[in-house]
Amino acid sequence: MKERSFEELQKSLVEAKAHPRETGWDIYRYMKANLEQMSSQEARTLLACYMKMGLEKPSLLHSLILNIALRMAKRFPDFQFDRFFDMWEYPGTERIIGYVDFYDEKHKFYHIYDNLSRHFVAIDPHNVPQVGGFVEFTPIIPEDGKFKTAVVHMVFSNATPEYMQAGMNAFGTYQAVVTGINEKEGLFNYHITSEIKDTPEGTITPDGTAFLGLMQLTEGQEIKLLLFLKRGKDGVKRNYVAKLV
């Protein structure tokens, strides 16, 4: 559907009580079409108008409006995103710690995992994460479960050991012992000795294989693993060791 002009949008806002849902979509379409031209004041005014309409949530429209707000927060330093997010009131929201696994430069997606191995995507966040680091985020899980969004509130800096340690402690690690080393292929085998968490994403196995990297390990050595389930190219989720700590 064609987006509204500003004059048409103004008319829709005046008549919003008669058709609030249609006006909500009009606000979204107008803001999406004018992301690069809008001022901070105009963006904040339109988002405030949307929030006052009290539309149902969760909904596709409500999630799309959140993405618009994230884009505005990225553009404007005076956009108080946390204040907007408190008003946004998505049911069941919480703040948890996640690990930033990789960055998709083409789509500007940061891929984030929580300690239950759930996979979330932060879309061009205003708080920019660092790959290999940790973030505090709110997971937004739609009712159909097809697309999980991470709203990033705070970044644990890779450059600061204290922050990294705090993020790691909050995320959680597994105690393990090295059961074998294959130096030729740069791999090592391990056995998890601590209690394994239940996760809705699958089953973490007590035994697994990981890349050695630059680590010098010996058979029988006790180690700590930052580990979660990750889907492989074959579509199967398996143990994935993100870090040795």
Side-chain angles (χ1 to χ4, degrees):
M1 185 182 293
K2 177 180 175 294
E3 69 272 2
R4 295 287 182 108
S5 68
F6 184 68
E7 291 73 21
E8 290 173 321
L9 179 60
Q10 283 183 313
K11 185 174 184 295
S12 183
L13 288 170
V14 170
E15 302 170 353
K17 287 186 179 180
H19 43 68
R21 188 170 182 277
E22 290 80 358
T23 300
W25 277 105
D26 287 342
I27 290 172
Y28 166 71
R29 294 188 187 102
Y30 177 83
M31 295 189 75
K32 182 182 179 185
N34 295 279
L35 280 173
E36 301 305 320
Q37 293 78 39
M38 296 181 70
S39 67
S40 175
Q41 179 64 44
E42 184 182 3
R44 286 183 279 122
T45 298
L46 289 175
L47 288 171
C49 289
Y50 172 85
M51 297 306 299
K52 288 177 181 177
M53 285 189 282
L55 296 172
E56 75 278 1
K57 47 186 178 287
S59 70
L60 173 60
L61 174 58
H62 206 54
S63 294
L64 291 172
I65 287 290
L66 176 64
N67 285 330
I68 292 289
L70 286 166
R71 297 288 294 277
M72 292 298 103
K74 182 82 171 179
R75 282 192 62 204
F76 302 117
D78 64 344
F79 188 98
Q80 297 178 329
F81 179 76
D82 278 354
R83 183 177 177 185
F84 171 83
F85 191 73
D86 289 340
M87 293 172 58
W88 191 72
E89 292 184 334
Y90 196 95
T93 54
E94 58 179 330
R95 293 194 180 196
I96 59 177
I97 302 300
Y99 175 77
V100 185
D101 185 52
F102 70 99
Y103 175 60
D104 180 342
E105 189 170 355
K106 179 181 178 181
H107 298 98
K108 297 185 178 179
F109 287 178
Y110 287 88
H111 292 261
I112 297 171
Y113 288 82
D114 70 0
N115 64 3
L116 295 179
S117 303
R118 297 180 301 179
H119 178 205
F120 299 88
V121 174
I123 305 168
D124 196 16
H126 67 296
N127 287 321
V128 181
Q130 294 176 305
V131 174
F134 299 88
V135 294
E136 181 187 77
F137 75 100
T138 291
I140 306 299
I141 306 175
E143 290 186 318
D144 60 11
K146 290 180 180 177
F147 190 78
K148 302 182 180 72
T149 301
V151 177
V152 176
H153 299 287
M154 185 180 74
V155 173
F156 292 81
S157 171
N158 285 8
T160 309
E162 293 80 9
Y163 273 101
M164 282 294 288
Q165 191 60 51
M168 201 169 296
N169 290 343
F171 186 91
T173 57
Y174 287 95
Q175 296 282 353
V177 61
V178 177
T179 57
I181 296 175
N182 185 334
E183 292 185 358
K184 183 178 179 180
E185 296 187 16
L187 301 172
F188 71 93
N189 299 323
Y190 61 85
H191 175 76
I192 297 173
T193 56
S194 54
E195 182 180 356
I196 295 176
K197 303 183 187 77
D198 291 329
T199 166
E201 301 300 313
T203 302
I204 292 174
T205 57
D207 297 288
T209 302
F211 289 103
L212 271 169
L214 299 177
M215 298 291 291
Q216 298 294 319
L217 301 178
T218 58
E219 191 168 339
Q221 181 178 344
E222 294 184 352
I223 54 176
K224 270 188 181 180
L225 306 175
L226 190 144
L227 176 152
F228 48 88
L229 290 173
K230 186 175 179 180
R231 194 182 304 279
K233 292 181 179 179
D234 58 1
V236 178
K237 289 189 175 183
R238 300 183 179 88
N239 289 16
Y240 171 71
V241 175
K243 288 180 184 290
L244 273 73
V245 296

